[in-house]
Amino acid sequence: MRVERVLLKDHTTLGVGGPAELWTVETREELRRATEAPYRVLGNGSNLLVRDEGVPERVIRLAGEFQAYDLRGWVGAGALLPLLVQEAARAGLSGLEGLLGIPAQVGGAVRMNAGTRFGEMADALEAVEVYHEGRFQVYLPEELGFGYRTSRLPPGGIVTRVRLRLRERPLEEIQRRLAEVDAARKGQPKRKSAGCAFKNPPGQSAGRLIDEGGFKGLRVGDAMVSPEHGNFIVNLGRATAKDVLELLRRIQEELPLELEWEVWP
Ligand code: FAD
Ligand code: EPU
């Protein structure tokens, strides 16, 4: 187990966030010890806005045995989703194509029920193992209250591993699906971001609403509403959480949008 003081801006895709104590755990026993005091779980940090003051709790990161995976067996919650999408396609296993381009760890993708209009994490799950209150318990997906970018894990629950629901399909068919998802993501910016900032209101696109509201290109410090896609806030280099929060405030002052990101603390 490694415990270190870090800046969370070095561990989030948006590149924003202050100090924290990072606990990297590699075994179940280490996970038990790390959870003996108040904690938060970090996945790949791709849906987080961490404040400049940082967080007081331990921040737990899953490594070691939690990153091991077998596509036909258990897949560690610390494994990177983009790697699994690629490996499954190579092995002729279909079910993860809709998740192409989501830079999550498996645990973070389960927690957020990450997805695109081509499919969500919940669709690809057969079972989910969760650690909470000192026990490792296996749940069926229907027990976890999955919805649009949401789940109902037990409070403080940490996803430790999952079994995927994949089926053998011809390689060309999988490649065709991947190409379709890739094409749908073409309009998304390449700069540092945390994906879409807001959830889409039913039947609408937050990005389009922000675009129509004239917010694209709006800048506070180094945080900017992407000129390419209105629902992405990008970090041009040295953005702070304060800059990003001010942009969110200005948008939400005019548009009743619900945040998709999680703000720490
Ligand atoms: P983090 O951001 O680290 O954490 C998110 C939440 O999950 C936190 O509450 C955290 O505590 C919790 N968590 C993390 N790991 C665990 C665990 N093991 N057990 C329990 N809780 C855990 N999202 C989409 O849905 N669709 C997209 O198309 C999409 N595109 C994106 C594109 C880009 C370029 C970026 C940067 C982000 C995008 N996102 C997208 C957002 C993001 O990738 C997802 O929300 C993803 O699920 C976050 O996973 P993570 O591992 O990074 O989690
Ligand atoms: N649009 C605009 N202006 C913009 C952005 C979008 O007019 O600035 C229009 C597009 O032209 C399109 C419509 O709005 O007609 C929808 O846009 P898009 O296809 O880009 O999809 P989205 O609804 O903005 C959703 C997810 C993305 C996911 C894509 C692909 C949400 C909040 N966003 O975006 O997920 O990658 O579909 O399926 O659900 C995320 O959740 O972080 C994320 C990136």
mmCIF file of all heavy atoms in Angstrom, residues 69-71 75-76 79-106 109 114-116 118-121 124 164 166-167 171 173-175 177-182 185:
data_model
loop_
_atom_site.group_PDB
_atom_site.id
_atom_site.type_symbol
_atom_site.label_atom_id
_atom_site.label_comp_id
_atom_site.label_asym_id
_atom_site.label_seq_id
_atom_site.Cartn_x
_atom_site.Cartn_y
_atom_site.Cartn_z
ATOM 1 N N TYR A 69 -7.743 -8.567 -15.170
ATOM 2 C CA TYR A 69 -9.028 -8.852 -15.802
ATOM 3 C C TYR A 69 -8.971 -10.088 -16.684
ATOM 4 O O TYR A 69 -7.940 -10.424 -17.242
ATOM 5 C CB TYR A 69 -9.512 -7.648 -16.625
ATOM 6 C CG TYR A 69 -8.619 -7.302 -17.789
ATOM 7 C CD1 TYR A 69 -8.821 -7.908 -19.039
ATOM 8 C CD2 TYR A 69 -7.596 -6.403 -17.649
ATOM 9 C CE1 TYR A 69 -8.011 -7.593 -20.112
ATOM 10 C CE2 TYR A 69 -6.771 -6.083 -18.710
ATOM 11 C CZ TYR A 69 -6.978 -6.687 -19.939
ATOM 12 O OH TYR A 69 -6.172 -6.386 -20.989
ATOM 13 N N ASP A 70 -10.138 -10.728 -16.754
ATOM 14 C CA ASP A 70 -10.346 -11.855 -17.653
ATOM 15 C C ASP A 70 -11.718 -11.576 -18.261
ATOM 16 O O ASP A 70 -12.724 -11.574 -17.539
ATOM 17 C CB ASP A 70 -10.351 -13.151 -16.821
ATOM 18 C CG ASP A 70 -10.841 -14.349 -17.613
ATOM 19 O OD1 ASP A 70 -11.122 -14.193 -18.826
ATOM 20 O OD2 ASP A 70 -10.969 -15.436 -17.017
ATOM 21 N N LEU A 71 -11.756 -11.320 -19.565
ATOM 22 C CA LEU A 71 -13.021 -10.892 -20.180
ATOM 23 C C LEU A 71 -14.130 -11.932 -20.031
ATOM 24 O O LEU A 71 -15.306 -11.609 -20.067
ATOM 25 C CB LEU A 71 -12.810 -10.571 -21.662
ATOM 26 C CG LEU A 71 -11.977 -9.319 -21.944
ATOM 27 C CD1 LEU A 71 -11.662 -9.218 -23.424
ATOM 28 C CD2 LEU A 71 -12.695 -8.070 -21.458
ATOM 29 N N VAL A 75 -13.461 -9.128 -13.879
ATOM 30 C CA VAL A 75 -12.721 -7.970 -14.381
ATOM 31 C C VAL A 75 -12.571 -6.974 -13.231
ATOM 32 O O VAL A 75 -13.563 -6.523 -12.644
ATOM 33 C CB VAL A 75 -13.493 -7.312 -15.552
ATOM 34 C CG1 VAL A 75 -12.844 -5.987 -15.952
ATOM 35 C CG2 VAL A 75 -13.565 -8.260 -16.740
ATOM 36 N N GLY A 76 -11.345 -6.640 -12.895
ATOM 37 C CA GLY A 76 -11.090 -5.737 -11.776
ATOM 38 C C GLY A 76 -11.649 -4.344 -12.018
ATOM 39 O O GLY A 76 -11.612 -3.834 -13.141
ATOM 40 N N ALA A 79 -9.478 -1.722 -13.702
ATOM 41 C CA ALA A 79 -9.055 -1.858 -15.108
ATOM 42 C C ALA A 79 -9.608 -0.691 -15.918
ATOM 43 O O ALA A 79 -10.687 -0.168 -15.627
ATOM 44 C CB ALA A 79 -9.572 -3.182 -15.678
ATOM 45 N N LEU A 80 -8.854 -0.305 -16.941
ATOM 46 C CA LEU A 80 -9.289 0.828 -17.775
ATOM 47 C C LEU A 80 -10.258 0.366 -18.852
ATOM 48 O O LEU A 80 -9.969 -0.557 -19.620
ATOM 49 C CB LEU A 80 -8.078 1.505 -18.417
ATOM 50 C CG LEU A 80 -7.303 2.455 -17.502
ATOM 51 C CD1 LEU A 80 -6.015 2.917 -18.167
ATOM 52 C CD2 LEU A 80 -8.171 3.654 -17.101
ATOM 53 N N LEU A 81 -11.388 1.025 -18.908
ATOM 54 C CA LEU A 81 -12.426 0.673 -19.881
ATOM 55 C C LEU A 81 -11.928 0.711 -21.335
ATOM 56 O O LEU A 81 -12.213 -0.217 -22.101
ATOM 57 C CB LEU A 81 -13.616 1.619 -19.671
ATOM 58 C CG LEU A 81 -14.934 1.261 -20.314
ATOM 59 C CD1 LEU A 81 -15.408 -0.117 -19.887
ATOM 60 C CD2 LEU A 81 -15.975 2.307 -19.945
ATOM 61 N N PRO A 82 -11.172 1.758 -21.748
ATOM 62 C CA PRO A 82 -10.722 1.781 -23.147
ATOM 63 C C PRO A 82 -9.900 0.544 -23.529
ATOM 64 O O PRO A 82 -10.001 0.047 -24.653
ATOM 65 C CB PRO A 82 -9.857 3.045 -23.224
ATOM 66 C CG PRO A 82 -10.363 3.914 -22.131
ATOM 67 C CD PRO A 82 -10.777 2.979 -21.032
ATOM 68 N N LEU A 83 -9.136 0.038 -22.570
ATOM 69 C CA LEU A 83 -8.345 -1.161 -22.820
ATOM 70 C C LEU A 83 -9.274 -2.366 -23.025
ATOM 71 O O LEU A 83 -9.081 -3.183 -23.925
ATOM 72 C CB LEU A 83 -7.412 -1.392 -21.619
ATOM 73 C CG LEU A 83 -6.520 -2.607 -21.678
ATOM 74 C CD1 LEU A 83 -5.482 -2.441 -22.776
ATOM 75 C CD2 LEU A 83 -5.830 -2.822 -20.328
ATOM 76 N N LEU A 84 -10.315 -2.462 -22.194
ATOM 77 C CA LEU A 84 -11.244 -3.594 -22.297
ATOM 78 C C LEU A 84 -12.032 -3.554 -23.606
ATOM 79 O O LEU A 84 -12.285 -4.594 -24.222
ATOM 80 C CB LEU A 84 -12.220 -3.591 -21.114
ATOM 81 C CG LEU A 84 -11.597 -3.687 -19.719
ATOM 82 C CD1 LEU A 84 -12.692 -3.665 -18.663
ATOM 83 C CD2 LEU A 84 -10.766 -4.965 -19.581
ATOM 84 N N VAL A 85 -12.423 -2.331 -24.016
ATOM 85 C CA VAL A 85 -13.177 -2.187 -25.271
ATOM 86 C C VAL A 85 -12.324 -2.740 -26.420
ATOM 87 O O VAL A 85 -12.786 -3.516 -27.257
ATOM 88 C CB VAL A 85 -13.537 -0.696 -25.520
ATOM 89 C CG1 VAL A 85 -14.136 -0.498 -26.907
ATOM 90 C CG2 VAL A 85 -14.504 -0.192 -24.446
ATOM 91 N N GLN A 86 -11.046 -2.367 -26.386
ATOM 92 C CA GLN A 86 -10.122 -2.783 -27.424
ATOM 93 C C GLN A 86 -9.871 -4.298 -27.385
ATOM 94 O O GLN A 86 -9.935 -4.987 -28.399
ATOM 95 C CB GLN A 86 -8.818 -2.036 -27.159
ATOM 96 C CG GLN A 86 -7.860 -1.977 -28.289
ATOM 97 C CD GLN A 86 -6.558 -1.293 -27.833
ATOM 98 O OE1 GLN A 86 -6.310 -1.082 -26.630
ATOM 99 N NE2 GLN A 86 -5.725 -0.951 -28.768
ATOM 100 N N GLU A 87 -9.616 -4.805 -26.172
ATOM 101 C CA GLU A 87 -9.319 -6.242 -26.018
ATOM 102 C C GLU A 87 -10.519 -7.104 -26.393
ATOM 103 O O GLU A 87 -10.358 -8.162 -27.004
ATOM 104 C CB GLU A 87 -8.932 -6.539 -24.564
ATOM 105 C CG GLU A 87 -7.620 -5.928 -24.143
ATOM 106 C CD GLU A 87 -6.421 -6.705 -24.661
ATOM 107 O OE1 GLU A 87 -6.400 -7.931 -24.467
ATOM 108 O OE2 GLU A 87 -5.539 -6.064 -25.267
ATOM 109 N N ALA A 88 -11.709 -6.655 -26.013
ATOM 110 C CA ALA A 88 -12.916 -7.433 -26.333
ATOM 111 C C ALA A 88 -13.095 -7.488 -27.847
ATOM 112 O O ALA A 88 -13.379 -8.550 -28.411
ATOM 113 C CB ALA A 88 -14.144 -6.804 -25.667
ATOM 114 N N ALA A 89 -12.894 -6.352 -28.508
ATOM 115 C CA ALA A 89 -13.050 -6.311 -29.971
ATOM 116 C C ALA A 89 -12.054 -7.277 -30.620
ATOM 117 O O ALA A 89 -12.395 -8.028 -31.528
ATOM 118 C CB ALA A 89 -12.839 -4.893 -30.490
ATOM 119 N N ARG A 90 -10.845 -7.278 -30.100
ATOM 120 C CA ARG A 90 -9.807 -8.152 -30.652
ATOM 121 C C ARG A 90 -10.176 -9.623 -30.465
ATOM 122 O O ARG A 90 -9.892 -10.468 -31.311
ATOM 123 C CB ARG A 90 -8.486 -7.834 -29.958
ATOM 124 C CG ARG A 90 -7.283 -8.352 -30.685
ATOM 125 C CD ARG A 90 -5.999 -7.880 -30.044
ATOM 126 N NE ARG A 90 -5.796 -6.454 -30.162
ATOM 127 C CZ ARG A 90 -5.024 -5.736 -29.349
ATOM 128 N NH1 ARG A 90 -4.413 -6.301 -28.342
ATOM 129 N NH2 ARG A 90 -4.868 -4.449 -29.533
ATOM 130 N N ALA A 91 -10.836 -9.920 -29.346
ATOM 131 C CA ALA A 91 -11.194 -11.308 -29.041
ATOM 132 C C ALA A 91 -12.522 -11.721 -29.671
ATOM 133 O O ALA A 91 -13.007 -12.832 -29.441
ATOM 134 C CB ALA A 91 -11.255 -11.483 -27.524
ATOM 135 N N GLY A 92 -13.148 -10.810 -30.429
ATOM 136 C CA GLY A 92 -14.427 -11.143 -31.053
ATOM 137 C C GLY A 92 -15.568 -11.198 -30.047
ATOM 138 O O GLY A 92 -16.541 -11.931 -30.232
ATOM 139 N N LEU A 93 -15.440 -10.416 -28.976
ATOM 140 C CA LEU A 93 -16.504 -10.384 -27.964
ATOM 141 C C LEU A 93 -17.227 -9.041 -28.044
ATOM 142 O O LEU A 93 -16.607 -7.979 -27.936
ATOM 143 C CB LEU A 93 -15.916 -10.585 -26.572
ATOM 144 C CG LEU A 93 -15.305 -11.971 -26.328
ATOM 145 C CD1 LEU A 93 -14.560 -12.017 -25.007
ATOM 146 C CD2 LEU A 93 -16.411 -13.030 -26.356
ATOM 147 N N SER A 94 -18.545 -9.118 -28.224
ATOM 148 C CA SER A 94 -19.346 -7.905 -28.400
ATOM 149 C C SER A 94 -20.068 -7.538 -27.119
ATOM 150 O O SER A 94 -20.409 -8.410 -26.313
ATOM 151 C CB SER A 94 -20.367 -8.154 -29.519
ATOM 152 O OG SER A 94 -21.266 -7.085 -29.599
ATOM 153 N N GLY A 95 -20.321 -6.255 -26.903
ATOM 154 C CA GLY A 95 -21.073 -5.804 -25.733
ATOM 155 C C GLY A 95 -20.537 -4.504 -25.166
ATOM 156 O O GLY A 95 -21.232 -3.798 -24.443
ATOM 157 N N LEU A 96 -19.274 -4.184 -25.506
ATOM 158 C CA LEU A 96 -18.683 -2.970 -24.939
ATOM 159 C C LEU A 96 -18.541 -1.857 -25.983
ATOM 160 O O LEU A 96 -18.070 -0.764 -25.652
ATOM 161 C CB LEU A 96 -17.292 -3.275 -24.357
ATOM 162 C CG LEU A 96 -17.222 -4.250 -23.180
ATOM 163 C CD1 LEU A 96 -15.765 -4.452 -22.745
ATOM 164 C CD2 LEU A 96 -18.041 -3.735 -21.994
ATOM 165 N N GLU A 97 -18.952 -2.108 -27.225
ATOM 166 C CA GLU A 97 -18.685 -1.143 -28.304
ATOM 167 C C GLU A 97 -19.239 0.247 -28.003
ATOM 168 O O GLU A 97 -18.616 1.261 -28.310
ATOM 169 C CB GLU A 97 -19.262 -1.636 -29.642
ATOM 170 C CG GLU A 97 -18.660 -2.923 -30.154
ATOM 171 C CD GLU A 97 -19.448 -4.136 -29.685
ATOM 172 O OE1 GLU A 97 -19.655 -4.282 -28.465
ATOM 173 O OE2 GLU A 97 -19.878 -4.933 -30.524
ATOM 174 N N GLY A 98 -20.414 0.304 -27.397
ATOM 175 C CA GLY A 98 -21.049 1.596 -27.122
ATOM 176 C C GLY A 98 -20.266 2.436 -26.139
ATOM 177 O O GLY A 98 -20.519 3.634 -25.989
ATOM 178 N N LEU A 99 -19.304 1.817 -25.449
ATOM 179 C CA LEU A 99 -18.537 2.539 -24.424
ATOM 180 C C LEU A 99 -17.203 3.055 -24.979
ATOM 181 O O LEU A 99 -16.384 3.587 -24.227
ATOM 182 C CB LEU A 99 -18.297 1.621 -23.215
ATOM 183 C CG LEU A 99 -19.589 1.033 -22.625
ATOM 184 C CD1 LEU A 99 -19.263 0.009 -21.545
ATOM 185 C CD2 LEU A 99 -20.454 2.132 -22.033
ATOM 186 N N LEU A 100 -17.024 2.916 -26.281
ATOM 187 C CA LEU A 100 -15.791 3.419 -26.909
ATOM 188 C C LEU A 100 -15.619 4.912 -26.611
ATOM 189 O O LEU A 100 -16.574 5.685 -26.714
ATOM 190 C CB LEU A 100 -15.874 3.224 -28.427
ATOM 191 C CG LEU A 100 -14.664 3.757 -29.226
ATOM 192 C CD1 LEU A 100 -13.460 2.831 -29.048
ATOM 193 C CD2 LEU A 100 -14.999 3.899 -30.699
ATOM 194 N N GLY A 101 -14.410 5.285 -26.215
ATOM 195 C CA GLY A 101 -14.118 6.723 -26.034
ATOM 196 C C GLY A 101 -14.395 7.239 -24.637
ATOM 197 O O GLY A 101 -14.228 8.422 -24.376
ATOM 198 N N ILE A 102 -14.816 6.366 -23.717
ATOM 199 C CA ILE A 102 -15.073 6.803 -22.334
ATOM 200 C C ILE A 102 -13.837 6.458 -21.486
ATOM 201 O O ILE A 102 -13.553 5.283 -21.254
ATOM 202 C CB ILE A 102 -16.326 6.120 -21.755
ATOM 203 C CG1 ILE A 102 -17.538 6.424 -22.654
ATOM 204 C CG2 ILE A 102 -16.571 6.577 -20.318
ATOM 205 C CD1 ILE A 102 -18.829 5.754 -22.211
ATOM 206 N N PRO A 103 -13.096 7.475 -21.013
ATOM 207 C CA PRO A 103 -11.815 7.208 -20.353
ATOM 208 C C PRO A 103 -11.961 6.854 -18.877
ATOM 209 O O PRO A 103 -11.326 7.469 -18.013
ATOM 210 C CB PRO A 103 -11.065 8.533 -20.544
ATOM 211 C CG PRO A 103 -12.143 9.563 -20.546
ATOM 212 C CD PRO A 103 -13.356 8.910 -21.148
ATOM 213 N N ALA A 104 -12.783 5.860 -18.578
ATOM 214 C CA ALA A 104 -13.092 5.517 -17.185
ATOM 215 C C ALA A 104 -12.351 4.268 -16.739
ATOM 216 O O ALA A 104 -11.860 3.496 -17.557
ATOM 217 C CB ALA A 104 -14.593 5.241 -17.055
ATOM 218 N N GLN A 105 -12.302 4.080 -15.427
ATOM 219 C CA GLN A 105 -12.019 2.750 -14.895
ATOM 220 C C GLN A 105 -13.366 2.033 -14.807
ATOM 221 O O GLN A 105 -14.417 2.693 -14.719
ATOM 222 C CB GLN A 105 -11.439 2.838 -13.483
ATOM 223 C CG GLN A 105 -9.979 3.228 -13.443
ATOM 224 C CD GLN A 105 -9.403 3.129 -12.040
ATOM 225 O OE1 GLN A 105 -10.114 2.811 -11.083
ATOM 226 N NE2 GLN A 105 -8.126 3.408 -11.922
ATOM 227 N N VAL A 106 -13.326 0.715 -14.767
ATOM 228 C CA VAL A 106 -14.569 -0.056 -14.702
ATOM 229 C C VAL A 106 -15.431 0.389 -13.509
ATOM 230 O O VAL A 106 -16.639 0.612 -13.653
ATOM 231 C CB VAL A 106 -14.252 -1.568 -14.619
ATOM 232 C CG1 VAL A 106 -15.483 -2.370 -14.262
ATOM 233 C CG2 VAL A 106 -13.678 -2.032 -15.953
ATOM 234 N N ALA A 109 -17.098 3.643 -14.171
ATOM 235 C CA ALA A 109 -18.114 3.493 -15.222
ATOM 236 C C ALA A 109 -19.376 2.837 -14.658
ATOM 237 O O ALA A 109 -20.498 3.168 -15.050
ATOM 238 C CB ALA A 109 -17.559 2.674 -16.384
ATOM 239 N N ALA A 114 -21.860 4.886 -16.989
ATOM 240 C CA ALA A 114 -21.370 5.627 -18.155
ATOM 241 C C ALA A 114 -21.933 5.030 -19.429
ATOM 242 O O ALA A 114 -22.198 3.825 -19.495
ATOM 243 C CB ALA A 114 -19.840 5.567 -18.186
ATOM 244 N N GLY A 115 -22.108 5.870 -20.417
ATOM 245 C CA GLY A 115 -22.615 5.347 -21.672
ATOM 246 C C GLY A 115 -22.726 6.379 -22.763
ATOM 247 O O GLY A 115 -22.320 7.528 -22.602
ATOM 248 N N THR A 116 -23.249 5.912 -23.870
ATOM 249 C CA THR A 116 -23.537 6.784 -25.008
ATOM 250 C C THR A 116 -24.907 6.332 -25.498
ATOM 251 O O THR A 116 -25.481 5.386 -24.942
ATOM 252 C CB THR A 116 -22.525 6.583 -26.152
ATOM 253 O OG1 THR A 116 -22.665 5.236 -26.631
ATOM 254 C CG2 THR A 116 -21.091 6.818 -25.688
ATOM 255 N N PHE A 118 -25.399 4.556 -27.761
ATOM 256 C CA PHE A 118 -25.238 3.198 -28.292
ATOM 257 C C PHE A 118 -25.207 2.134 -27.204
ATOM 258 O O PHE A 118 -25.141 0.951 -27.493
ATOM 259 C CB PHE A 118 -23.957 3.118 -29.123
ATOM 260 C CG PHE A 118 -23.926 4.104 -30.254
ATOM 261 C CD1 PHE A 118 -23.364 5.356 -30.079
ATOM 262 C CD2 PHE A 118 -24.502 3.779 -31.475
ATOM 263 C CE1 PHE A 118 -23.345 6.278 -31.124
ATOM 264 C CE2 PHE A 118 -24.489 4.694 -32.520
ATOM 265 C CZ PHE A 118 -23.921 5.943 -32.344
ATOM 266 N N GLY A 119 -25.208 2.561 -25.946
ATOM 267 C CA GLY A 119 -25.217 1.562 -24.875
ATOM 268 C C GLY A 119 -24.609 2.093 -23.594
ATOM 269 O O GLY A 119 -23.833 3.048 -23.619
ATOM 270 N N GLU A 120 -25.014 1.469 -22.479
ATOM 271 C CA GLU A 120 -24.537 1.901 -21.166
ATOM 272 C C GLU A 120 -23.808 0.756 -20.480
ATOM 273 O O GLU A 120 -24.013 -0.409 -20.819
ATOM 274 C CB GLU A 120 -25.718 2.280 -20.272
ATOM 275 C CG GLU A 120 -26.596 3.358 -20.812
ATOM 276 C CD GLU A 120 -27.793 3.626 -19.908
ATOM 277 O OE1 GLU A 120 -28.292 2.681 -19.246
ATOM 278 O OE2 GLU A 120 -28.227 4.776 -19.863
ATOM 279 N N MET A 121 -23.024 1.130 -19.478
ATOM 280 C CA MET A 121 -22.293 0.124 -18.706
ATOM 281 C C MET A 121 -23.231 -0.952 -18.165
ATOM 282 O O MET A 121 -22.914 -2.145 -18.206
ATOM 283 C CB MET A 121 -21.544 0.826 -17.551
ATOM 284 C CG MET A 121 -20.561 -0.039 -16.831
ATOM 285 S SD MET A 121 -19.143 -0.474 -17.881
ATOM 286 C CE MET A 121 -18.881 -2.169 -17.411
ATOM 287 N N ALA A 124 -23.935 -4.045 -20.032
ATOM 288 C CA ALA A 124 -22.822 -4.974 -20.275
ATOM 289 C C ALA A 124 -22.447 -5.750 -19.011
ATOM 290 O O ALA A 124 -21.407 -6.400 -18.970
ATOM 291 C CB ALA A 124 -21.621 -4.192 -20.801
ATOM 292 N N LEU A 164 -18.652 -9.431 -16.969
ATOM 293 C CA LEU A 164 -19.257 -8.760 -18.124
ATOM 294 C C LEU A 164 -20.170 -9.698 -18.901
ATOM 295 O O LEU A 164 -19.980 -10.923 -18.888
ATOM 296 C CB LEU A 164 -18.154 -8.238 -19.050
ATOM 297 C CG LEU A 164 -17.244 -7.168 -18.441
ATOM 298 C CD1 LEU A 164 -16.092 -6.841 -19.386
ATOM 299 C CD2 LEU A 164 -18.035 -5.902 -18.111
ATOM 300 N N LEU A 166 -20.831 -10.512 -22.363
ATOM 301 C CA LEU A 166 -20.314 -10.343 -23.723
ATOM 302 C C LEU A 166 -20.709 -11.570 -24.536
ATOM 303 O O LEU A 166 -20.892 -12.647 -23.981
ATOM 304 C CB LEU A 166 -18.787 -10.214 -23.692
ATOM 305 C CG LEU A 166 -18.222 -9.090 -22.819
ATOM 306 C CD1 LEU A 166 -16.698 -9.121 -22.812
ATOM 307 C CD2 LEU A 166 -18.726 -7.737 -23.295
ATOM 308 N N ARG A 167 -20.865 -11.386 -25.855
ATOM 309 C CA ARG A 167 -21.170 -12.567 -26.675
ATOM 310 C C ARG A 167 -20.298 -12.550 -27.922
ATOM 311 O O ARG A 167 -19.924 -11.484 -28.408
ATOM 312 C CB ARG A 167 -22.652 -12.639 -27.021
ATOM 313 C CG ARG A 167 -23.134 -11.400 -27.664
ATOM 314 C CD ARG A 167 -24.637 -11.234 -27.588
ATOM 315 N NE ARG A 167 -24.927 -9.981 -28.262
ATOM 316 C CZ ARG A 167 -25.442 -9.889 -29.473
ATOM 317 N NH1 ARG A 167 -25.820 -10.960 -30.129
ATOM 318 N NH2 ARG A 167 -25.622 -8.715 -30.044
ATOM 319 N N LEU A 171 -15.858 -10.394 -36.151
ATOM 320 C CA LEU A 171 -15.015 -9.208 -35.962
ATOM 321 C C LEU A 171 -15.514 -8.010 -36.761
ATOM 322 O O LEU A 171 -15.522 -6.879 -36.276
ATOM 323 C CB LEU A 171 -13.569 -9.521 -36.366
ATOM 324 C CG LEU A 171 -12.807 -10.498 -35.471
ATOM 325 C CD1 LEU A 171 -11.398 -10.718 -35.998
ATOM 326 C CD2 LEU A 171 -12.775 -10.004 -34.034
ATOM 327 N N GLU A 173 -18.461 -7.208 -37.662
ATOM 328 C CA GLU A 173 -19.659 -6.606 -37.063
ATOM 329 C C GLU A 173 -19.250 -5.696 -35.890
ATOM 330 O O GLU A 173 -19.757 -4.576 -35.746
ATOM 331 C CB GLU A 173 -20.585 -7.722 -36.579
ATOM 332 C CG GLU A 173 -21.889 -7.231 -36.016
ATOM 333 C CD GLU A 173 -22.737 -8.378 -35.452
ATOM 334 O OE1 GLU A 173 -22.841 -9.434 -36.116
ATOM 335 O OE2 GLU A 173 -23.267 -8.202 -34.332
ATOM 336 N N ILE A 174 -18.314 -6.152 -35.083
ATOM 337 C CA ILE A 174 -17.846 -5.363 -33.934
ATOM 338 C C ILE A 174 -17.143 -4.098 -34.433
ATOM 339 O O ILE A 174 -17.391 -2.991 -33.942
ATOM 340 C CB ILE A 174 -16.914 -6.208 -33.045
ATOM 341 C CG1 ILE A 174 -17.704 -7.380 -32.450
ATOM 342 C CG2 ILE A 174 -16.296 -5.365 -31.932
ATOM 343 C CD1 ILE A 174 -16.862 -8.367 -31.666
ATOM 344 N N GLN A 175 -16.303 -4.260 -35.448
ATOM 345 C CA GLN A 175 -15.595 -3.100 -36.007
ATOM 346 C C GLN A 175 -16.574 -2.078 -36.573
ATOM 347 O O GLN A 175 -16.382 -0.873 -36.419
ATOM 348 C CB GLN A 175 -14.611 -3.547 -37.112
ATOM 349 C CG GLN A 175 -13.385 -4.281 -36.596
ATOM 350 C CD GLN A 175 -12.601 -3.490 -35.535
ATOM 351 O OE1 GLN A 175 -12.648 -2.271 -35.486
ATOM 352 N NE2 GLN A 175 -11.886 -4.206 -34.666
ATOM 353 N N ARG A 177 -19.612 -1.514 -35.569
ATOM 354 C CA ARG A 177 -20.237 -0.805 -34.435
ATOM 355 C C ARG A 177 -19.288 0.220 -33.842
ATOM 356 O O ARG A 177 -19.683 1.343 -33.535
ATOM 357 C CB ARG A 177 -20.604 -1.796 -33.335
ATOM 358 C CG ARG A 177 -21.919 -2.411 -33.579
ATOM 359 C CD ARG A 177 -22.650 -2.711 -32.263
ATOM 360 N NE ARG A 177 -23.676 -3.657 -32.611
ATOM 361 C CZ ARG A 177 -23.539 -4.971 -32.508
ATOM 362 N NH1 ARG A 177 -22.473 -5.485 -31.959
ATOM 363 N NH2 ARG A 177 -24.465 -5.767 -32.927
ATOM 364 N N LEU A 178 -18.028 -0.175 -33.674
ATOM 365 C CA LEU A 178 -17.041 0.758 -33.099
ATOM 366 C C LEU A 178 -16.903 1.993 -33.986
ATOM 367 O O LEU A 178 -16.835 3.125 -33.479
ATOM 368 C CB LEU A 178 -15.674 0.066 -32.945
ATOM 369 C CG LEU A 178 -15.579 -0.977 -31.830
ATOM 370 C CD1 LEU A 178 -14.250 -1.719 -31.914
ATOM 371 C CD2 LEU A 178 -15.728 -0.321 -30.452
ATOM 372 N N ALA A 179 -16.896 1.782 -35.289
ATOM 373 C CA ALA A 179 -16.737 2.914 -36.214
ATOM 374 C C ALA A 179 -17.922 3.871 -36.095
ATOM 375 O O ALA A 179 -17.768 5.093 -36.156
ATOM 376 C CB ALA A 179 -16.601 2.396 -37.651
ATOM 377 N N GLU A 180 -19.103 3.283 -35.867
ATOM 378 C CA GLU A 180 -20.317 4.103 -35.737
ATOM 379 C C GLU A 180 -20.245 4.982 -34.480
ATOM 380 O O GLU A 180 -20.554 6.172 -34.506
ATOM 381 C CB GLU A 180 -21.513 3.156 -35.650
ATOM 382 C CG GLU A 180 -22.833 3.770 -36.030
ATOM 383 C CD GLU A 180 -23.984 2.777 -35.810
ATOM 384 O OE1 GLU A 180 -23.713 1.549 -35.738
ATOM 385 O OE2 GLU A 180 -25.117 3.226 -35.680
ATOM 386 N N VAL A 181 -19.791 4.373 -33.370
ATOM 387 C CA VAL A 181 -19.694 5.128 -32.112
ATOM 388 C C VAL A 181 -18.609 6.195 -32.246
ATOM 389 O O VAL A 181 -18.800 7.351 -31.848
ATOM 390 C CB VAL A 181 -19.379 4.180 -30.924
ATOM 391 C CG1 VAL A 181 -19.320 4.962 -29.621
ATOM 392 C CG2 VAL A 181 -20.396 3.065 -30.834
ATOM 393 N N ASP A 182 -17.509 5.823 -32.848
ATOM 394 C CA ASP A 182 -16.406 6.762 -33.034
ATOM 395 C C ASP A 182 -16.884 7.973 -33.840
ATOM 396 O O ASP A 182 -16.584 9.125 -33.491
ATOM 397 C CB ASP A 182 -15.252 6.045 -33.759
ATOM 398 C CG ASP A 182 -13.990 6.887 -33.765
ATOM 399 O OD1 ASP A 182 -13.678 7.453 -32.705
ATOM 400 O OD2 ASP A 182 -13.350 6.998 -34.824
ATOM 401 N N ARG A 185 -18.755 10.557 -31.963
ATOM 402 C CA ARG A 185 -17.973 11.328 -30.981
ATOM 403 C C ARG A 185 -17.073 12.362 -31.648
ATOM 404 O O ARG A 185 -16.353 13.069 -30.956
ATOM 405 C CB ARG A 185 -17.092 10.376 -30.163
ATOM 406 C CG ARG A 185 -17.843 9.257 -29.476
ATOM 407 C CD ARG A 185 -16.956 8.592 -28.454
ATOM 408 N NE ARG A 185 -16.739 9.497 -27.355
ATOM 409 C CZ ARG A 185 -17.244 9.344 -26.142
ATOM 410 N NH1 ARG A 185 -17.955 8.297 -25.851
ATOM 411 N NH2 ARG A 185 -17.015 10.234 -25.209
#
